[in-house]
Amino acid sequence: IAGHLPVTAETNSPQEYLEQLESMRFRPPSDVNPAHQRGKAAKRMAKDLDAIAMKAIRYSAQDRQSTVEELAADIGNALEDKPVEAREGNLRYNLGKFFRRHRTGIFSVAAILVVLAAGLLAVARQGRIARAETLRAEAGVDDERKLTHFLFTDYIQRLQRIPGSVDAQRRAVNQAISYLDQ
């Protein structure tokens, strides 16, 4: 991954060899080989590969991958942009991996939700308009009731005071009934 072996065996001194091992322990391969840091995708993968490599070279056997299959699975996961076991990522890491793998589906669902929200807002707006029209129509019916009351009470009572106005009264009543029927 780094382009060279983790420890060079150029020394015969066990102490120098241990010092090399110790310095390498905290130095991930991507620090040694900056070629991994060329793009965002390569940088993200470099972190996963660093974690895999660093886990593979841990001193304690129980801290390393226990089988080659586990190591291969982690490398496969890194290549497929899935979470790797060696990284022990948090929720943000796992969600980021999920988002990158399912970007198209997530954007599609988001677009559908936006369209649904816009539709609901439009329906709510139309509902408010319909309610306002209903209130206006009810107010118009109220005005018609007042007019009818005027025709049946005030207007007809005044017509009754006029001698010989039976035809006018009859016509006023018929017009009021016809108006109410409409």
Side-chain angles (χ1 to χ4, degrees), residues 114-129:
V114 166
V115 168
L116 282 174
L120 288 174
L121 287 174
V123 167
R125 182 178 179 272
Q126 290 300 321
R128 284 193 304 275
I129 291 171

Side-chain angles (χ1 to χ4, degrees), residues 9 15-16 25 30 34 62 79 90-91 113 117 130 135 150 166:
Q15 184 60 33
E16 286 180 28
R25 182 176 174 190
S30 61
Q62 67 264 16
L79 292 173
N90 57 15
L91 180 64
L113 290 175
L135 291 174
F150 170 75
V166 173

Side-chain angles (χ1 to χ4, degrees), residues 4 8 11 58 85 119 142 144 149 159 177:
H4 61 81
T8 56
T11 180
R58 288 186 184 155
E85 290 293 322
D142 235 13
E144 290 172 0
H149 179 69
L159 279 176
I177 289 173

Side-chain angles (χ1 to χ4, degrees), residues 73-90:
D74 258 359
I75 292 172
N77 286 343
L79 292 173
E80 294 173 11
D81 212 12
K82 292 181 179 176
V84 296
E85 290 293 322
R87 185 111 180 245
E88 300 171 0
N90 57 15

Side-chain angles (χ1 to χ4, degrees), residues 45-159:
M45 186 181 285
K47 289 180 181 181
D48 288 342
L49 293 176
D50 282 348
I52 294 168
M54 296 305 286
K55 184 173 181 175
I57 61 173
R58 288 186 184 155
Y59 293 139
S60 175
Q62 67 264 16
D63 293 339
R64 296 190 298 263
Q65 293 90 346
S66 58
T67 64
V68 174
E69 288 79 19
E70 283 183 27
L71 178 65
D74 258 359
I75 292 172
N77 286 343
L79 292 173
E80 294 173 11
D81 212 12
K82 292 181 179 176
V84 296
E85 290 293 322
R87 185 111 180 245
E88 300 171 0
N90 57 15
L91 180 64
R92 181 177 175 211
Y93 168 74
N94 291 328
L95 287 176
K97 292 285 188 177
F98 180 83
F99 179 78
R100 281 190 292 280
R101 281 194 324 275
H102 302 288
R103 185 174 310 186
T104 304
I106 290 171
F107 282 134
S108 298
V109 168
I112 289 169
L113 290 175
V114 166
V115 168
L116 282 174
L120 288 174
L121 287 174
V123 167
R125 182 178 179 272
Q126 290 300 321
R128 284 193 304 275
I129 291 171
R131 180 69 181 145
E133 292 295 325
T134 300
L135 291 174
R136 200 169 72 182
E138 288 173 356
V141 168
D142 235 13
D143 290 344
E144 290 172 0
R145 285 187 187 131
K146 289 175 187 174
L147 176 64
T148 305
H149 179 69
F150 170 75
L151 287 174
F152 277 127
T153 56
D154 297 341
Y155 185 65
I156 292 177
Q157 285 175 0
R158 289 182 186 173
L159 279 176

